[in-house]
Amino acid sequence: MKNLSKAVALAAPAAMMSAAPALAQSIDEKVNEIFASSTGWFVNFIFSPFPGTSFPWIVAWLVVAATVFTFYFGFIQFRAFPHSIALVRGDYSDPKDAGEVSHFQALATALSGTVGLGNIAGVAVAVGIGGPGATFWMILAGLMGMASKFTECTLGVKYRNEYADGTVSGGPMYYMTKGFAERGLPAGKFMAVLFSIFCILGAFGGGNMFQANQAHAQITNVVGDYPGWITGLIFAGVVFAVIVGGLKSIARVTEKVVPFMGILYVGTALFILVMNFDKIGWAFGQIFAGAFTGAGVAGGMVGALIQGFKRAAFSNEAGVGSAAIAHSAVRTKEPITEGFVSLLEPFIDTVVICTMTALVIIITGQLIQDPTTGLYLLDAGASTIQTVDGNKGVALTSAAFSSAFGGFKYILAVAVILFAFSTMISWSYYGLKAWTFLFGEGKTTEMVFKLLFCVFVVIGAAASLGPVIDFSDAAIFAMAVVNIIALYFLMPIVKREMTSYLSRLKSGQIRKFG
Amino acid sequence: MTTKFVVGYDGSAASRRALDFAMERAAAVGATIIVAHVLEWSPYSFLTPTELEERHKRRGEELARAESHLMAPLKSQLSGKGVPLETVIRYGHVADTLCEIATDNGAAQIFVARKGESSLAARVFGSVAGTLAQCAPVPCTIVP
């Protein structure tokens, strides 16, 4: 009897262990099923194309807004570009404010939230489907997106909450409530609540689960396959230490290493371009030819345009409203100055970093062309361009860089992991701001969000929850729907600020220090 | 016009030696001492979103702590020495900020301690004393 019970006692955990993968599998399937059935309509709605095309209306929504802001503010992104650089350099910062958040710091923090997988994997997807021509449309959308960022970040600073203890909270939910009330417009509070809900969902999904999932995918590419929950637990532990434990050293190290990785990435890309300088003219020829003719890619010119616009919009988050939360902490008497600084963000993210990725892929000859016609060869499904070794996504970028530097895939893996981590830290903050807007500020409510955030890290890395991630991406772009409506209503306020500031700058009333 | 001496002070024993040395010189020539405490800060450092949010609050706390823990005890200790004493707390690069304070106040001299650091970092990036020796706008006394 004793032996029997011992045998049962030994057999039970063994049976549980053998059943565990099946159980985990069924949980994954169940979660997928529930999410797909309850949220599929929302995802389909957000990413649905215009009838008869494959052009998602949400991309048009972002690009049209960027175009409207560009014209409304008189091409401010080009006119104010040198002044933006001067602001970041601190030429207009009062030395008495040393020790406060500088324009550079607000910009760097916001950038660490946007520079990431979109710049590395996303561009490869765009060029792989839309061909080199996608790069042209991506740059154009990036340049236009600068005006959207300018609008939202100015409003973020103008309508932020400054508390008695010196801390600040800002972002679209604050300019929706306060800005709409100031202009006597209804529904500001309703829009702020809606935005906050989407922001929380986006933070859990695109800003968390997607990042954990892709970081795990990168690690397995280098070290071989192993269960995702291990990566998830490690990531969750580190995120927990930073956002709950307040372990600033880890975040500081990341904040220092991420820009370094960004510089290394761009530096390596530049080096590859210099090594192949004779092909740069040809590459730009491909980009311009592809932009207007399609050069044989799936969907022709429209296919290239869709991919380019989509990638720029998804990468720099201009119009989404997330950057307005990060930028609102800067110490300035003139909210518009943060608008000027923030317009550099899509420029660095899309016009510089994304373009570098695209150029390296094109110049290193990853996309296979027909030697006689010069057109790109499509794969069996005729949806993507054939690549050397059949690489797609991040693997395509990795192959392009590795063709020049053999060991670059390891550096790239580290970069992806760090970018993913810094994006998670940024989005944990964006989500928390939306959470406290809805549920009030307080240690308990904040702790609930932070713990939930850590749980989602594990889920994201462990499971391939496609529908969950689709839903989260849709939530991020739903933020843009609400945010851009608010920006249309509040843009006259930004214009007033801009006109006043520029006239004072011209008259010499606003001068450089030192 | 009163002669002014700027003394870099961070609460360390070495900086106290520099201050005492400057006090003797000030007593001899009837100069005013400006005790300067500089909190190392770069506007180009990287902060997390939470640090951005709390920066203004933390700055206030750091300034208050420097005043209550460093400057206030020093002022009470040195009040009866017969040398007029001013204090200033600033953020910035230590050597550059000491130079700015000296220029802004029309100081005649800067006094700083030499910590005798031989670390690799000091060799690569230079020490406060070394930088001042190169860049100070007025004579600079480095107290060992």
Side-chain angles (χ1 to χ4, degrees):
Chain A
M1 189 66 193
K2 200 177 172 185
N3 280 346
L4 181 67
S5 62
K6 197 175 173 183
V8 169
L10 285 171
M16 280 172 71
M17 279 176 76
S18 63
L23 185 67
Q25 189 70 27
S26 67
I27 291 171
D28 280 5
E29 283 169 7
K30 197 75 190 162
V31 172
N32 277 340
E33 201 181 299
I34 293 168
F35 254 90
S37 61
S38 58
T39 64
W41 64 272
F42 177 69
V43 176
N44 290 337
F45 170 68
I46 292 290
F47 292 115
S48 64
F50 286 114
T53 69
S54 56
F55 199 106
W57 70 270
I58 187 70
V59 175
W61 175 255
L62 287 163
V63 173
V64 167
T67 312
V68 168
F69 298 136
T70 298
F71 281 98
Y72 186 73
F73 295 113
F75 293 87
I76 189 68
Q77 62 267 57
F78 305 117
R79 287 196 291 140
F81 196 85
H83 185 61
S84 303
I85 305 274
L87 285 167
V88 174
R89 279 160 44 103
D91 291 355
Y92 291 87
S93 303
D94 189 340
K96 289 194 191 83
D97 287 340
E100 299 281 6
V101 174
S102 66
H103 285 302
F104 176 88
Q105 286 165 328
L107 176 68
T109 305
L111 261 177
S112 73
T114 55
V115 174
L117 290 163
N119 306 68
I120 298 170
V123 175
V125 172
V127 177
I129 299 172
T135 315
F136 174 86
W137 299 109
M138 187 179 71
I139 294 171
L140 187 70
L143 291 171
M144 296 294 210
M146 291 163 78
S148 306
K149 252 330 181 221
F150 164 76
T151 317
E152 63 190 8
C153 291
T154 302
L155 291 168
V157 177
K158 186 168 172 63
Y159 293 108
R160 65 185 169 187
N161 272 6
E162 291 187 62
Y163 302 107
D165 69 353
T167 55
V168 289
S169 274
M173 48 282 186
Y174 293 96
Y175 58 70
M176 283 166 189
T177 42
K178 291 158 99 177
F180 272 51
E182 193 181 292
R183 294 207 68 199
L185 297 165
K189 183 84 181 166
F190 169 75
M191 285 175 67
V193 169
L194 204 59
F195 176 85
S196 300
I197 293 168
F198 291 141
C199 185
I200 292 165
L201 296 173
F204 283 149
N208 177 345
M209 289 198 290
F210 176 69
Q211 305 295 330
N213 195 283
Q214 290 301 295
H216 174 66
Q218 259 303 292
I219 298 170
T220 52
N221 267 352
V222 175
V223 303
D225 202 15
Y226 70 95
W229 60 264
I230 297 175
T231 309
L233 276 181
I234 295 168
F235 257 77
V238 181
V239 171
F240 182 88
V242 173
I243 66 171
V244 181
L247 197 58
K248 287 177 183 156
S249 53
I250 296 174
R252 282 210 188 107
V253 168
T254 314
E255 297 298 318
K256 282 180 178 60
V257 175
V258 162
F260 172 75
M261 295 306 285
I263 292 165
L264 184 71
Y265 185 77
V266 173
T268 310
L270 273 175
F271 194 77
I272 294 172
L273 297 183
V274 170
M275 282 189 344
N276 297 283
F277 74 94
D278 54 321
K279 289 186 194 160
I280 292 177
W282 167 80
F284 275 104
Q286 291 289 305
I287 288 171
F288 283 107
F292 299 102
T293 64
V297 303
M301 174 192 155
V302 178
L305 184 142
I306 292 169
Q307 285 305 322
F309 276 4
K310 203 170 163 182
R311 191 42 49 207
F314 285 20
S315 172
N316 63 40
E317 294 171 16
V320 168
S322 52
I325 303 175
H327 279 281
S328 61
V330 75
R331 182 76 14 196
T332 176
K333 292 177 190 76
E334 303 279 353
I336 199 83
T337 55
E338 201 50 30
F340 288 133
V341 169
S342 69
L343 60 78
L344 295 174
E345 214 184 302
F347 183 82
I348 298 169
D349 178 280
T350 309
V351 181
V352 177
I353 304 181
C354 286
T355 307
M356 288 290 168
T357 305
L359 279 174
V360 169
I361 293 171
I362 298 164
I363 279 181
T364 55
Q366 297 298 313
L367 308 174
I368 299 174
Q369 283 177 296
D370 187 321
T372 48
T373 61
L375 295 176
Y376 289 96
L377 297 174
L378 300 181
D379 63 8
S383 58
T384 57
I385 297 170
Q386 282 183 29
T387 57
V388 178
D389 300 329
N391 292 311
K392 286 184 176 59
V394 72
L396 179 57
T397 311
S398 188
F401 277 82
S402 298
S403 68
F405 299 101
F408 195 79
K409 74 171 185 176
Y410 301 107
I411 296 173
L412 197 68
V414 174
V416 166
I417 293 162
L418 285 169
F419 286 156
F421 182 70
S422 73
T423 305
M424 282 156 91
I425 297 295
S426 295
W427 273 94
S428 75
Y429 179 77
Y430 303 155
L432 180 66
K433 287 288 114 185
W435 183 271
T436 53
F437 180 81
L438 288 180
F439 303 112
E441 312 226 357
K443 283 204 160 33
T444 316
T445 46
E446 288 183 16
M447 187 57 78
V448 171
F449 174 82
K450 287 172 178 176
L451 289 174
L452 272 173
F453 195 84
C454 292
V455 170
F456 276 98
V457 177
V458 184
I459 298 173
S464 55
L465 302 175
V468 178
I469 289 164
D470 283 349
F471 174 73
S472 315
D473 283 350
I476 288 182
F477 289 98
M479 286 164 68
V481 176
V482 187
N483 186 43
I484 285 172
I485 293 172
L487 295 183
Y488 284 141
F489 282 108
L490 299 176
M491 63 186 188
I493 295 171
V494 180
K495 192 163 196 177
R496 209 163 51 223
E497 293 264 337
M498 183 187 83
T499 312
S500 157
Y501 181 86
L502 290 178
S503 67
R504 279 178 292 141
L505 188 68
K506 201 175 173 187
S507 69
Q509 203 178 330
I510 295 169
R511 276 182 293 185
K512 288 184 183 181
F513 283 89
Chain B
M1 198 174 125
T2 324
T3 307
K4 289 178 180 173
F5 293 161
V6 171
V7 183
Y9 183 72
D10 64 1
S12 66
S15 68
R16 184 56 200 256
R17 280 201 304 278
L19 178 59
D20 291 341
F21 183 79
M23 288 285 286
E24 283 174 28
R25 299 295 164 286
V29 299
T32 299
I33 293 279
I34 300 172
V35 182
H37 177 61
V38 183
L39 295 145
E40 183 72 45
W41 172 259
S42 165
Y44 304 110
S45 59
F46 295 94
L47 303 176
T48 63
T50 314
E51 285 178 310
L52 287 190
E53 178 190 318
E54 295 175 346
R55 189 58 223 150
H56 183 61
K57 179 185 168 190
R58 296 267 174 260
R59 183 179 184 266
E61 289 169 356
E62 286 160 9
L63 289 172
R65 198 182 315 123
E67 179 59 37
S68 65
H69 284 68
L70 280 181
M71 295 313 200
L74 197 68
K75 276 187 270 189
S76 65
Q77 272 177 36
L78 302 177
S79 59
K81 304 270 183 182
V83 176
L85 195 81
E86 292 171 24
T87 57
V88 53
I89 306 170
R90 290 259 192 99
Y91 276 91
H93 180 268
V94 179
D96 291 349
T97 311
L98 287 175
C99 291
E100 281 167 22
I101 294 169
T103 308
D104 294 349
N105 290 281
Q109 257 202 78
I110 298 173
F111 291 78
V112 284
R114 189 189 72 196
K115 290 189 176 170
E117 281 178 1
S118 59
S119 66
L120 183 66
R123 279 167 195 275
V124 174
F125 300 111
S127 62
V128 172
T131 311
L132 277 172
Q134 298 283 336
C135 310
V138 291
C140 179
T141 303
I142 297 166
V143 181

